[in-house]
Amino acid sequence: MSKRGKIVLINPSYLEFSNAIHGSEWVSPPLGLGYIASVLLRSGYEVEIIDMAVQEFEEKKLKDFLLFKSPEIVGITSTTPAIKKALNIASMVKGILPNTLVVLGGVHPTCFPEELIRQEEIDVVVQGEGELTFLELVELTLENSEKRFFVCGTVQKSDGKIIFNPRRPFIEDLDSLPFPAHQLFNLARYRHPLMRSNKTAAILTSRGCPFNCTYCNRGVFNRRYRMRSPENVIEEIEYLINKHSVFDFAFIDDNFTLDRSHIEGICNGIVKKGLKIKWSAPNGVHAKTIDFELAKLMKKSGCYSLSFGIESGNQKTLDYIKKNIDLATIRGAFEVCRKVGIETVAFIIIGFPNENRNDIDNTLHFLKDIKVDIADFHILIPLPKTAIYEELKNRNYILEEDWSKYTFHNEPIFRTDFFSPKEIFYEYKRAYRKFYLRPGYILSRIKRISSLQEIKNDIRGLMTILTSFRNRASV
């Protein structure tokens, strides 16, 4: 029996902005909303999730849905490029359901709470982790609305005044949270370009990242690393196998292998339980954490792909962005993965302020030298509150304040000493062409194919490169 109270949680999509790789994007369930939903469901509330990345909800359909559900509370999460869309949705909610409490959360609202709470359509901004904050906000809104103004972790407004409540302490015991509400997602609609089956599930086994990379905004939430117990992670894997018939898993931690005992516990648990699964770490692992013995154990437990945030093949750039790694260590990690048969992915960023064309060519040579299987090129996004944003801003190199244009795979919104935005975009396309359209590389990909899903993945990727990157940008 659910309590009085209907809550709708919305994830606005910004996939339509990823023009250069449309069709090959990684589309993962919004686990943040999934965790909030599971906490609310455990407390007896009725919850719906709308993920606009995989559900077609044009304005009329969304209006009809909300009018039919008549939720007392609507929560909207937002990244930086989706904030304009999030505010439009909030305005629409207030237009049709003026008494509904509209709550905004996520990375961008955490960065700019005061700016966003001043928007007429926003009632509450949640900063940081949202599970306990949102639950308390719901309970007080539905049971004692006056007390809701004092919920830790929120910024609110009352009678024209802005109320800045203290930040809520971060959740120490991640095992105390229920699993995200996977049942509210259609898992078959989500995809990763490298997945090995037609259905995959995302799992988060830790939170936080202790590193201080200048381009990353993870520190907005917390740098302190916290982990779920391996037993709790294995229990979620078994739940997804038994209830959702999922056998392909993506561990999407910011740094899945940071704590060796943690990753060993998970891998040994998978092996001991005899779980016949495949898994990848597509969000990135640190090369410093990988050695031969660990890679062997990961392979034994079902690992087929590891992604590494290399970012550049130039040591001066790694030092400049405070990556805390050297090229020799990266080379060693890729050699280890190659020996045990784990596919490697390298994330590369084009557009660092200190790099010229020779530096980009050096990176391409390095990728070929370490024999990386997949190179995932991105254009630098100077995300708000990051050191690299402040550097570019101070030099008047930020050319656009429209947050919807702060995306990975489109012409950038900044210049550098070496490149205009058009030239950065050209270098990005050139990197894709030079790396992938090599006869030797194409032949090596064909030789490695072992399943129908891999054929589909490779064809989709090749078509993206041929169609999106075939025209040389004018410079």
Side-chain angles (χ1 to χ4, degrees):
M1 184 72 122
S2 64
K3 295 180 180 180
R4 178 180 66 85
K6 297 178 183 177
I7 299 100
V8 172
L9 305 175
I10 302 175
N11 178 43
S13 172
Y14 62 91
L15 291 181
E16 63 267 30
F17 304 138
S18 299
N19 299 326
I21 62 162
H22 188 65
S24 292
E25 310 95 331
W26 177 16
V27 187
S28 183
L31 290 189
L33 293 187
Y35 272 107
I36 291 173
S38 66
V39 168
L40 293 170
L41 289 168
R42 184 172 64 180
S43 295
Y45 295 101
E46 183 180 332
V47 188
E48 298 269 358
I49 293 179
I50 297 175
D51 183 3
M52 300 180 81
V54 297
Q55 294 171 273
E56 294 183 5
F57 266 91
E58 72 283 354
E59 185 175 347
K60 183 180 184 307
K61 184 177 178 181
L62 184 56
K63 279 184 178 180
D64 291 344
F65 177 86
L66 291 170
L67 284 170
F68 174 72
K69 289 292 182 179
S70 295
E72 284 91 346
I73 300 171
V74 170
I76 306 169
T77 187
S78 185
T79 56
T80 292
I83 191 62
K84 184 186 293 187
K85 196 167 185 178
L87 292 175
N88 288 339
I89 292 171
S91 180
M92 184 265 289
V93 173
K94 280 296 186 184
I96 60 174
L97 299 169
N99 296 323
T100 292
L101 189 77
V102 176
V103 184
L104 189 63
V107 176
H108 194 84
T110 295
C111 288
F112 298 103
E114 184 172 358
E115 173 186 315
L116 291 167
I117 197 62
R118 292 185 185 278
Q119 303 298 314
E120 185 178 356
E121 60 268 28
I122 302 300
D123 297 308
V124 183
V125 171
V126 170
Q127 290 188 280
E129 292 176 326
E131 292 92 348
L132 303 184
T133 299
F134 202 89
L135 175 62
E136 185 178 344
L137 185 66
V138 168
E139 290 174 340
L140 293 179
T141 299
L142 298 179
E143 296 165 17
N144 188 340
S145 60
E146 287 302 311
K147 288 188 176 181
R148 79 162 169 85
F149 292 103
F150 304 101
V151 175
C152 286
T154 66
V155 179
Q156 306 191 38
K157 56 194 172 193
S158 176
D159 297 327
K161 295 181 180 180
I162 297 177
I163 302 170
F164 291 90
N165 289 302
R167 290 288 290 265
R168 183 177 296 272
F170 289 94
I171 300 168
E172 296 298 328
D173 181 11
L174 297 181
D175 285 5
S176 67
L177 295 172
F179 304 147
H182 296 288
Q183 70 274 18
L184 298 185
F185 302 122
N186 184 341
L187 296 179
R189 292 185 176 183
Y190 296 94
R191 65 181 183 272
H192 185 274
L194 305 177
M195 66 188 206
R196 293 293 191 266
S197 65
N198 60 5
K199 184 163 66 171
T200 187
I203 294 182
L204 193 64
T205 79
S206 65
R207 296 185 182 184
C209 180
F211 297 107
N212 197 33
C213 302
T214 62
Y215 57 87
C216 181
N217 64 358
R218 296 300 187 189
V220 170
F221 279 90
N222 188 19
R223 294 202 184 280
R224 204 176 67 74
Y225 192 64
R226 293 154 293 146
M227 299 167 288
R228 295 166 58 190
S229 69
E231 294 77 15
N232 187 252
V233 175
I234 297 300
E235 188 179 343
E236 183 178 2
I237 292 173
E238 290 182 306
Y239 162 79
L240 284 161
I241 292 172
N242 296 327
K243 296 294 185 181
H244 296 278
S245 300
V246 174
F247 296 92
D248 190 343
F249 296 89
F251 293 111
I252 62 170
D253 304 41
D254 289 328
N255 205 320
F256 181 51
T257 57
L258 185 61
D259 186 284
R260 190 179 186 96
S261 63
H262 175 66
I263 177 62
E264 286 179 338
I266 292 172
C267 292
N268 283 323
I270 291 170
V271 173
K272 184 177 180 180
K273 291 268 189 175
L275 303 179
K276 304 301 181 184
I277 66 169
K278 301 174 183 177
W279 64 267
S280 62
N283 213 32
V285 298
H286 203 288
K288 276 187 175 181
T289 64
I290 303 299
D291 59 34
F292 185 70
E293 291 304 318
L294 180 59
K296 272 202 312 183
L297 176 60
M298 295 165 81
K299 176 70 174 180
K300 184 178 180 181
S301 67
C303 177
Y304 61 83
S305 177
L306 291 177
S307 299
F308 296 83
I310 292 177
E311 321 310 351
S312 173
N314 298 281
Q315 188 62 51
K316 67 172 185 177
T317 299
L318 299 181
D319 297 338
Y320 165 71
I321 62 176
K322 299 182 179 179
K323 191 65 186 178
N324 191 30
I325 193 71
D326 59 66
L327 295 177
T329 301
I330 294 170
R331 189 185 305 275
F334 277 72
E335 183 179 350
V336 161
C337 288
R338 191 162 57 251
K339 283 182 178 178
V340 302
I342 294 176
E343 180 180 69
T344 54
V345 180
F347 293 135
I348 300 296
I349 294 177
I350 303 294
F352 284 125
N354 70 312
E355 289 200 336
N356 57 30
R357 173 171 281 192
N358 285 337
D359 295 316
I360 295 172
D361 284 338
N362 286 342
T363 295
L364 291 170
H365 290 313
F366 182 70
L367 293 176
K368 296 171 188 175
D369 189 37
I370 64 175
K371 298 180 173 60
V372 62
D373 295 312
I374 304 289
D376 194 349
F377 298 98
H378 297 79
I379 291 173
L380 173 69
I381 303 179
L383 291 167
K385 305 295 184 180
T386 61
I388 217 160
Y389 174 87
E390 296 301 328
E391 177 188 343
L392 291 168
K393 184 76 171 176
N394 290 337
R395 299 181 70 186
N396 294 317
Y397 283 179
I398 298 289
L399 308 176
E400 178 63 68
E401 296 293 348
D402 181 352
W403 297 122
S404 68
K405 295 181 180 179
Y406 282 57
T407 55
F408 285 117
H409 299 286
N410 296 307
E411 187 172 303
I413 48 73
F414 65 95
R415 57 156 296 187
T416 72
D417 286 334
F418 304 102
F419 299 117
S420 69
K422 285 187 181 297
E423 289 168 335
I424 295 171
F425 197 42
Y426 169 79
E427 293 298 326
Y428 159 80
K429 291 187 175 185
R430 185 176 74 92
Y432 263 109
R433 289 195 303 269
K434 287 198 71 173
F435 182 83
Y436 283 105
L437 299 184
R438 294 176 288 146
Y441 177 81
I442 294 171
L443 181 61
S444 69
R445 289 300 300 176
I446 292 172
K447 288 180 177 179
R448 283 197 299 268
I449 290 174
S450 60
S451 69
L452 178 60
Q453 185 62 45
E454 287 183 81
I455 294 175
K456 293 178 180 178
N457 294 343
D458 286 349
I459 290 175
R460 187 184 298 114
L462 179 61
M463 292 305 297
T464 296
I465 293 169
L466 292 176
T467 58
S468 299
F469 302 148
R470 66 178 181 273
N471 297 322
R472 287 185 170 268
S474 59
V475 294

